[in-house]
Amino acid sequence: MEPPIDSPPYRRTFYKGGSGMWSWILHRGSGLAVLGFLFLHVLDTSLVMFGPNAYNTMAKFYESALFRPLEVLLMFLVIFHAFNGLRVIIVDLWTRGSRYQAQLSRLVWAITLVLFLPSAWIMLRPIFE
Amino acid sequence: MLPVSLKVQRRIPGEKPYWAAYAVEVEENGRVLDALHQVKWHQDGTLSFRRSCAHGVCGSDAMMINGVNRLACAVLCRDLEQPITVEPLRGLNVEKDLIVDMEPFFEAYKAVKPWLVNDDPPPTRERLQTPEQRRRYDDTTKCILCAACTTSCPIFWGDDRYVGPAAIVNAHRFIYDSRDQGGEERLEILSSEDGAFRCRTTFNCSDACPRGIKVTEAIQEVKRSILRKKI
């Protein structure tokens, strides 16, 4: 009996699922992130109770170079979540949905990028001006 | 001969898991199972894995190969990137190395009553059905209960109360059989919170099935039958 030639350090591996698995993970992650933003949004809107100054300071902060990229990320997550949600509904209710799930996934990414890239450009432009 | 470098996850009860690397040679058309045999027979007899028929029919040697669930006897080494990583199935307790406890998997299988339910008096000859009636559930008759689908499912990794794709596939096989009368009862079982609606359509199961069963499609058909209360 020969001993193993070497024992590489133990690392956990990922299951290499396809577009369905990664869409599902991103769908859950984006859902939680958007929900988190909703709470933040309730907080910042309620600042109006402390007068216009408090509210405007917060609004200015959102437009800053620090926060804007996060808003762009939020934009991406909302668009992806919305269209991926429609894909899930189609796969659930359309009899042939399962057969075309890979194509539907690609379509979701295409729509997401087509809507996201111009929005990102519009949102980020003021920072560079 | 084809040189094969293997990286196998070794699991010994009560000890930390570790990766063991082996270098073996298999024939040009050698399968991962042949490489594992080379290790077990000539290098390290303590390596444990299941296999029975070794020809893709019995479903004993499902394992995670290069990050996806496959039958070790049905994948050629030459088609894989090396080193070939081999791990036990996920979501079931590991007994040793590549051997997992299949008991929860079979419990879920039995829960959907995977047998013919028909209380009519037995006919004097066969219960006939048309080719169309047979085609309805043809795909799901192919299951070999290897657990590759169920253990590829992220929902099942997180919560093993979910009956899992294999149980739903086997329920599908009888629900849509024109000779069977237990369809509604099975749909009732699968409409529970641990039933078909735990499926989040990640399609890992359809990719993992060594028999090419369209597993997710079958689950979706069951879900729609539950929703529409119609078989």
Side-chain angles (χ1 to χ4, degrees):
Chain A
M1 185 177 118
E2 293 169 37
I5 45 177
D6 71 70
S7 294
Y10 184 76
R11 276 195 203 96
R12 275 190 72 87
T13 53
F14 280 109
Y15 192 90
K16 290 184 185 139
S19 60
M21 181 175 99
W22 294 108
S23 298
W24 170 71
I25 291 173
L26 192 55
H27 195 77
R28 292 214 149 170
S30 58
L32 281 174
V34 172
L35 181 70
F37 175 78
L38 185 68
F39 289 132
L40 188 68
H41 186 58
V42 169
L43 279 180
D44 70 53
T45 312
S46 62
L47 282 177
V48 78
M49 292 188 295
F50 301 97
N53 267 345
Y55 183 85
N56 287 340
T57 313
M58 198 62 200
K60 266 269 169 345
F61 174 65
Y62 280 160
E63 283 168 15
S64 69
L66 193 72
F67 207 89
R68 219 356 108 80
L70 287 176
E71 280 197 317
V72 173
L73 176 69
L74 179 73
M75 187 73 184
F76 170 78
L77 295 176
V78 168
I79 297 174
F80 174 80
H81 194 88
F83 287 96
N84 193 55
L86 291 176
R87 180 187 69 93
V88 171
I89 292 171
I90 292 171
V91 168
D92 273 342
L93 296 181
W94 182 34
T95 326
R96 302 174 71 80
S98 296
R99 281 181 210 185
Y100 296 106
Q101 60 94 12
Q103 289 91 325
L104 285 167
S105 262
R106 282 196 287 272
L107 184 66
V108 166
W109 279 105
I111 297 173
T112 303
L113 290 179
V114 163
L115 291 178
F116 169 69
L117 291 176
S119 337
W121 188 65
I122 293 165
M123 288 169 82
L124 287 174
R125 200 169 42 172
I127 296 179
F128 302 111
E129 275 169 3
Chain B
M1 295 296 271
L2 180 77
V4 172
S5 135
L6 277 179
K7 214 174 102 183
V8 183
Q9 195 183 107
R10 298 297 306 266
R11 300 275 284 264
I12 289 146
E15 289 178 28
K16 279 188 179 165
Y18 66 96
W19 289 105
Y22 303 96
V24 295
E25 283 199 333
V26 297
E27 286 179 31
E28 289 299 322
N29 287 333
R31 308 153 304 165
V32 173
L33 181 66
D34 298 314
L36 291 172
H37 278 151
Q38 289 300 314
V39 174
K40 185 162 179 77
W41 293 340
H42 304 294
Q43 291 190 20
D44 183 353
T46 66
L47 176 67
S48 306
F49 54 90
R50 281 197 187 100
R51 68 100 172 82
S52 293
C53 80
H55 291 83
V57 179
C58 74
S60 302
D61 64 350
M63 45 190 82
M64 208 170 129
I65 297 168
N66 276 5
V68 284
N69 285 355
R70 295 286 181 266
L71 294 184
C73 58
V75 190
L76 303 187
C77 293
R78 66 173 192 201
D79 293 338
L80 297 174
E81 211 174 293
Q82 298 218 20
I84 299 169
T85 61
V86 184
E87 298 164 72
L89 297 174
R90 291 201 170 161
L92 294 168
N93 288 331
V94 176
E95 296 189 330
K96 185 171 182 292
D97 298 336
L98 303 171
I99 298 180
V100 295
D101 177 13
M102 296 280 283
E103 214 43 55
F105 172 78
F106 289 122
E107 285 303 317
Y109 168 61
K110 285 179 224 156
V112 301
K113 301 180 186 265
W115 51 77
L116 184 81
V117 175
N118 189 329
D119 292 331
D120 293 343
T124 50
R125 47 169 302 174
E126 299 92 334
R127 296 180 164 101
L128 294 181
Q129 57 184 182
T130 65
E132 286 71 38
Q133 287 172 326
R134 177 63 177 72
R135 218 172 286 135
R136 183 84 200 271
Y137 61 93
D138 182 67
D139 201 36
T140 46
T141 60
K142 299 172 192 160
C143 177
I144 55 174
L145 296 172
C146 67
C149 60
T150 295
T151 58
S152 75
C153 174
I155 312 297
F156 183 78
W157 301 332
D159 184 356
D160 59 11
R161 283 171 304 180
Y162 171 39
V163 293
I168 304 172
V169 158
N170 284 282
H172 181 285
R173 184 253 168 272
F174 286 98
I175 289 169
Y176 301 103
D177 186 333
S178 56
R179 302 163 295 183
D180 186 272
Q181 298 171 346
E184 275 166 30
E185 192 186 352
R186 290 192 197 91
L187 289 181
E188 184 65 36
I189 294 166
L190 289 175
S191 66
S192 80
E193 62 176 311
D194 299 319
F197 287 94
R198 290 299 290 274
C199 167
R200 291 295 187 278
T201 57
T202 69
F203 288 88
N204 278 8
C205 53
S206 302
D207 170 72
C209 180
R211 306 305 306 275
I213 299 171
K214 297 182 200 80
V215 182
T216 318
E217 195 172 316
I219 298 174
Q220 296 297 79
E221 194 174 359
V222 169
K223 282 185 196 168
R224 282 191 294 267
S225 283
I226 295 172
L227 277 179
R228 290 165 192 162
K229 294 187 169 43
K230 201 173 91 195
I231 291 174

